[in-house]
């Protein structure tokens, strides 16, 4: 069994099963209820709060597993409709590959434009999907065929499109209107649209001039309540013959305002640092932080290398400040030797756009707590 082999129960970066997934009961019920009643859902929350996890958790529940074909596609890296069609087609194919039914066998029969990618393995005789992006010549046709295929399924389909806000930046015009029309025509295919760029997502779904206006039920995702997370963490330690001080879990939770990914990362490391029969206490926290930052260092350097020099300056200044207010004031500029108020302003724009920096009221902070620590203390 998959779950028995999990050595560290604080799973990060993927979904395993109910046992390793904390709470989200109300959210799960809500989401399932919407879909079952024929309403598409727009799931909008800050980064790393648990949107993808929640979708996968819902997919894993009996109500979805048994009665729907579920598909998950992450379009974060896409920049065109062709890529969208490519990834959607691939996600559907990969999901259905192990299932041999009359419907799944019709994949290339209905999605004719992807037939170029249909290959039979010369050794095993197994079919495979070997198309490249360049093979998507007419993305609209491919999409039409994909939707036609989904609608011809033997049970309803549920498609989750992660980082959906991305469609707003596609090179083609009218993508929103086009997708909206296709989605509206579906009779037995439902959609979950999720995204972390909150203003872009809200703009897509809540602004009356946009095609997707009111076409989905919006739902947000708050941090998991602290008591519930603490109980969860204690259980995971105890099940493996270890212990953890509740006050430590609470401290970790508070350090990250309950944002799931960060909390799970530290708890994962704390668990690793704790021997069998040992009780993990606050003395391990510093080491855990350092270790986590060490594992991320490569990607931080990579990230920095892609920023303009002025953006780096401003990013580090904000990291050192923590909650940075008055970033264009002469005091702030002097304190961090920044060139000028206008250069701070122009550097901030892309930092906010990419989500490296977030803004709450007049305060800015580096969104990734570990990255902020590394920038402020080690870089
Ligand atoms: N309820 C939960 N219990 C335990 N771990 C969780 C839970 N929800 C999410 N996680 C873990 O936290 C991490 C962040 O969650 P997830 O990737 O779902 O967030 P996200 O909102 O989709 O983030 P992003 O905006 O970066 O895509 C994941 O690694 C996941 O394993
Ligand atoms: Mg996600």
């Amino acid at each position: 069994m998959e779950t028995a082999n999990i050595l560290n129960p604080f799973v990060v970066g993927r979904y395993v099963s109910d046992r390793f997934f904390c709470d989200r009961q109300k959210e799960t019920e809500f989401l399932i209820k919407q879909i079952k009643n024929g309403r598409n859902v727009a799931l909008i929350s800050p980064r790393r709060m648990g949107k993808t996890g929640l979708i996968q958790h819902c997919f894993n529940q009996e109500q979805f597993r048994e009665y729907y074909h579920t598909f998950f596609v992450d379009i974060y890296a896409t920049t065109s409709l062709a890529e969208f069609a490519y990834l959607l087609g691939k996600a559907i194919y990969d999901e259905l590959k192990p299932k041999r039914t009359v419907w799944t066998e019709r994949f290339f029969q209905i999605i004719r434009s992807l037939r170029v990618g249909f290959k039979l393995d010369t050794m095993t005789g197994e079919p495979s999907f070997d198309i490249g992006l360049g093979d998507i010549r007419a993305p609209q046709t491919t999409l039409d065929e994909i939707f036609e295929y989904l609608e011809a399924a033997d049970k309803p389909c549920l498609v989750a499109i992660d980082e959906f806000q991305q469609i707003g930046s596609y090179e083609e015009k009218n993508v929103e209107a086009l997708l909206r029309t296709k989605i509206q025509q579906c009779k037995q295919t439902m959609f979950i649209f999720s995204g972390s760029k909150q203003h872009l997502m809200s703009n897509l779904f809540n602004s009356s001039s946009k095609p997707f206006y009111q076409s989905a039920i919006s739902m947000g995702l708050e941090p998991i309540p602290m008591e519930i997370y603490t109980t969860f963490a204690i259980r995971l330690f105890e099940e493996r013959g270890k212990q953890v001080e509740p006050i430590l879990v609470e401290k970790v939770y508070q350090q990250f305002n309950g944002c799931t990914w960060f909390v799970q990362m530290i708890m994962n490391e704390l668990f690793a640092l704790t021997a069998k029969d040992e009780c993990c206490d606050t003395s391990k926290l510093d080491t855990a932080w350092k270790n986590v930052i060490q594992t991320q260092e490569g990607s931080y350097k990579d990230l920095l290398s892609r920023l303009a020099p002025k953006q780096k300056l401003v990013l580090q200044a904000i990291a050192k400040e923590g909650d940075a207010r008055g970033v264009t004031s002469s005091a702030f500029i002097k304190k961090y030797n920044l060139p000028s108020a206008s250069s701070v302003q122009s550097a901030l724009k892309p930092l906010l756009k990419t989500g490296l920096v977030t803004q709450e009221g007049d305060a800015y902070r580096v969104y990734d707590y570990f990255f902020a620590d590394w920038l402020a203390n080690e870089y």
Side-chain angles (χ1 to χ4, degrees):
M1 236 177 72
E2 186 182 18
T3 51
N5 296 327
I6 301 272
L7 292 178
N8 192 318
F10 293 91
V11 181
V12 186
R14 66 204 165 101
Y15 178 82
V16 177
S17 69
D18 289 14
R19 294 197 61 71
F20 304 100
F21 193 77
C22 178
D23 191 35
R24 296 298 189 205
Q25 277 182 15
K26 286 201 199 85
E27 292 87 345
T28 303
E29 266 168 42
F30 182 86
L31 202 155
I32 291 179
K33 179 179 158 202
Q34 303 313 317
I35 297 296
K36 279 175 66 179
N37 287 284
R39 305 169 202 143
N40 294 332
V41 173
L43 176 59
I44 309 170
S45 88
R47 291 212 57 199
R48 296 173 174 189
M49 197 60 87
K51 294 176 294 299
T52 306
L54 175 65
I55 293 171
Q56 277 162 349
H57 184 62
C58 289
F59 279 9
N60 194 42
Q61 304 306 302
E62 202 194 334
Q63 289 120 302
F64 277 174
R65 226 179 34 221
E66 299 285 311
Y67 303 105
Y68 290 83
H69 288 291
T70 54
F71 305 101
F72 184 91
V73 55
D74 180 347
I75 61 166
Y76 187 70
T78 58
T79 55
S80 67
L81 198 63
E83 285 178 61
F84 180 90
Y86 170 74
L87 282 186
L88 184 59
K90 193 165 167 5
I92 295 170
Y93 183 83
D94 287 343
E95 181 67 33
L96 295 179
K97 200 163 85 178
K99 304 170 188 163
R100 290 279 181 88
T101 68
V102 176
W103 177 60
T104 63
E105 303 279 323
R106 290 179 65 204
F107 186 87
F108 289 107
Q109 209 178 320
I110 298 182
I111 311 179
R112 291 174 292 276
S113 59
L114 293 186
R115 219 181 282 165
V116 284
F118 177 73
K119 305 243 158 57
L120 282 178
D121 189 307
T122 43
M123 302 290 282
T124 62
E126 289 280 305
S128 71
F129 185 63
D130 185 19
I131 66 161
L133 249 179
D135 293 322
I136 310 280
R137 295 278 156 77
Q140 291 207 31
T141 308
T142 304
L143 274 179
D144 278 338
E145 291 169 356
I146 290 176
F147 280 86
E148 185 191 334
Y149 178 69
L150 294 174
E151 288 285 288
D154 46 7
K155 56 186 180 182
C157 292
L158 173 54
V159 182
I161 308 177
D162 211 0
E163 306 297 354
F164 188 67
Q165 73 271 338
Q166 207 57 29
I167 65 159
S169 60
Y170 283 2
E171 50 201 34
E172 297 93 344
K173 291 207 170 63
N174 301 328
V175 171
E176 290 172 36
L178 184 130
L179 282 179
R180 163 76 210 244
T181 308
K182 292 198 192 305
I183 284 167
Q184 221 169 15
Q185 285 162 351
C186 290
K187 295 197 173 59
Q188 65 152 4
T189 307
M190 302 295 304
F191 295 84
I192 300 170
F193 311 101
S194 69
S196 49
K197 304 254 171 80
Q198 299 193 65
H199 62 288
L200 293 179
M201 284 293 281
S202 296
N203 192 21
L204 266 178
F205 290 95
N206 303 327
S207 99
S208 57
S209 61
K210 297 288 222 158
F212 274 92
Y213 179 57
Q214 291 188 333
S215 64
I217 305 290
S218 285
M219 75 178 276
L221 210 51
E222 297 293 321
I224 297 164
M226 186 167 77
E227 314 76 65
I228 296 181
Y229 186 81
T230 306
T231 311
F232 167 78
I234 292 170
R235 167 173 70 78
L236 294 187
F237 268 76
E238 284 176 352
E239 283 174 356
R240 310 286 159 124
K242 303 182 181 186
Q243 283 182 322
V244 61
E245 280 187 347
I247 197 151
L248 170 59
V249 184
E250 289 170 8
K251 195 167 170 183
V252 170
Y253 181 98
Q254 281 159 347
Q255 269 178 336
F256 305 114
N257 298 308
C259 190
T260 318
W261 184 81
F262 301 98
V263 177
Q264 282 281 106
M265 283 295 277
I266 288 287
M267 291 311 301
N268 176 292
E269 185 59 27
L270 285 170
F271 181 89
L273 291 171
T274 308
K276 209 156 188 214
D277 298 323
E278 192 188 358
C279 180
C280 184
D281 63 23
T282 318
S283 67
K284 291 198 194 299
L285 195 49
D286 278 350
T287 313
W289 261 85
K290 284 206 187 81
N291 292 354
V292 168
I293 287 176
Q294 214 169 38
T295 63
Q296 306 292 309
E297 201 167 11
S299 66
Y300 297 156
K301 287 181 179 161
D302 192 47
L303 244 170
L304 278 189
S305 73
R306 282 183 267 129
L307 296 182
K310 279 183 190 151
Q311 289 177 37
K312 275 188 226 179
L313 273 178
V314 173
L315 188 67
Q316 192 183 42
I318 293 174
K320 283 189 185 283
E321 190 74 7
D323 271 323
R325 284 166 209 277
V327 291
T328 52
S329 70
S330 51
F332 189 82
I333 287 167
K334 205 166 152 216
K335 187 171 174 189
Y336 295 104
N337 275 320
L338 303 170
S340 66
S342 64
S343 75
V344 171
Q345 218 137 36
S346 64
L348 259 180
K349 256 189 217 145
L351 293 174
L352 285 167
K353 195 164 174 236
T354 50
L356 282 178
V357 168
T358 53
Q359 179 179 14
E360 269 161 53
D362 64 340
Y364 296 91
R365 73 173 177 87
V366 175
Y367 184 66
D368 185 322
Y369 298 86
F370 303 128
F371 189 31
D373 189 346
W374 181 80
L375 277 169
N377 301 312
E378 289 185 49
Y379 177 60

